Amino acid sequence: MKKYQIGPRPEAVEEALLVGFREVEIATIGHFRHRGFVSRELRPIAPITGTLTGTAVTVAIPGTCSTMLHHAMSVVRPGDVVVIDRLGDTRHACLGGGVAFAAKVAGAVAVVLDGPCTDSDEIIEVGLPVFCTGVSAITTRLNDLGGAVNLPVSCGNVPVMPGDLVVMDACGVLILPPDEAPEVLAEAVARQARAGRNRGLIEAGQKLGDLSGASKMIAAALEG
């Protein structure tokens, strides 16, 4: 097996989908979908405003080595999200101010990292949104151990394919296969349009349990 493996550059997600999902909160999708949500341990290192979207460029790098990540910066295009699989390593930070700057200049929308970062202040100064498991002072090096770019990876307990749609906001990260995204977007837009419809009724004195039907379910169970 080759030490380094590089797959073809994926097609960019359709612009209409990227724009459409920017108007949707991920928590709205969480009301009806269960797959694709990365572990809640991956949190933004700085506050996120609105919803971000992009096309997944996948990177897999082992343990102490970030050689392939450095090379991957030459593959990143404007509108891409760099999704990094650390292959189980939770100790070494592969992303710091320098790599974040290179990703930002290349046009990356964000980085989703299944492990810690370092130089968080520098990353924030660069202005690159980063979702990761925390911060570590122990960094990776150019140890020439191998890795992969644009091949299937796992990040935050979710399988990610090159070219997947990545949706990010303050609540977390969602990975969607492009062929499933239109149906998800349609349902999310419809649900979001109904969001908040009960506020006026609750202010007028009606109870949430009556409006949602929860109280009816409980009453029927108690009677049974």
Side-chain angles (χ1 to χ4, degrees):
M1 180 180 294
K2 295 180 180 179
K3 182 162 56 172
Y4 294 104
Q5 296 179 296
I6 300 177
R9 288 189 177 187
E11 292 185 11
V13 174
E14 293 181 13
E15 184 67 17
L17 290 173
L18 296 172
V19 172
F21 275 97
R22 290 175 196 149
E23 302 302 319
V24 173
E25 296 177 0
I26 294 180
T28 299
I29 302 172
H31 278 78
F32 64 90
R33 186 178 175 90
H34 300 281
R35 293 182 291 112
F37 297 89
V38 306
S39 169
R40 61 188 179 87
E41 293 182 359
L42 275 65
R43 303 298 306 154
I45 63 171
I48 300 295
T49 301
T51 302
L52 307 174
T53 60
T55 302
V57 167
T58 59
V59 182
I61 51 174
T64 63
C65 186
S66 55
T67 308
M68 184 56 106
L69 179 59
H70 282 218
H71 174 74
M73 294 303 101
S74 64
V75 176
V76 174
R77 306 161 299 186
D80 285 340
V81 176
V82 183
V83 180
I84 306 173
D85 180 352
R86 292 295 285 112
L87 302 174
D89 184 272
T90 60
R91 188 167 187 246
H92 300 88
C94 66
L95 181 78
V99 177
F101 182 76
K104 180 73 173 180
V105 170
V109 173
V111 171
V112 180
L113 167 60
D114 197 5
C117 72
T118 194
D119 302 333
S120 56
D121 289 345
E122 289 185 38
I123 295 173
I124 293 169
E125 182 180 358
V126 165
L128 180 71
V130 172
F131 291 76
C132 64
T133 59
V135 179
S136 173
I138 309 171
T139 66
T140 54
R141 302 158 184 82
L142 301 185
N143 286 339
D144 194 22
L145 298 180
V149 167
N150 282 332
L151 291 175
V153 300
S154 175
C155 187
N157 301 324
V158 171
V160 186
M161 300 292 291
D164 278 351
L165 169 62
V166 187
V167 186
M168 303 151 285
D169 68 13
C171 288
V173 180
L174 172 64
I175 307 295
L176 286 172
D179 61 336
E180 297 180 24
E183 183 178 358
V184 174
L185 178 59
E187 178 66 17
V189 168
R191 286 179 179 252
Q192 198 145 300
R194 301 194 298 268
R197 66 190 185 280
N198 289 330
R199 289 186 176 182
L201 298 174
I202 293 172
E203 286 179 340
Q206 295 193 48
K207 303 303 180 185
L208 176 60
D210 294 330
L211 294 169
S212 69
S215 296
K216 184 178 180 180
M217 294 178 188
I218 292 172
L222 293 174
E223 290 175 2

